[in-house]
Amino acid sequence: MQAFVEEFDDFAAAAAGQQGSGRIAMGADGMRAVQIAHAVYDSSRTGSQVKLAPLP
């Protein structure tokens, strides 16, 4: 829960034009989370291990 609070505080600071803590998630972090979620669904559906491509 604390991580969400910190991320939201950083978002609010950025929206107000202020400097945040620098811990806000980047777009690549969100994309990886979506990739992981899709891999979980695929693995559950197929019963097989799903490998993710390495991060650049």
Side-chain angles (χ1 to χ4, degrees):
M1 183 66 175
Q2 184 61 31
F4 174 76
V5 171
E6 291 172 4
E7 188 173 340
F8 185 80
D9 287 345
D10 274 359
F11 175 79
Q18 302 169 353
Q19 178 84 15
S21 69
R23 291 187 301 251
I24 197 164
M26 303 304 291
D29 300 323
M31 178 61 83
R32 191 57 164 190
V34 170
Q35 290 171 338
I36 291 169
H38 281 277
V40 168
Y41 286 126
D42 290 345
S43 178
S44 177
R45 184 175 41 79
T46 64
S48 299
Q49 181 181 21
V50 175
K51 294 192 180 222
L52 297 176
L55 295 174

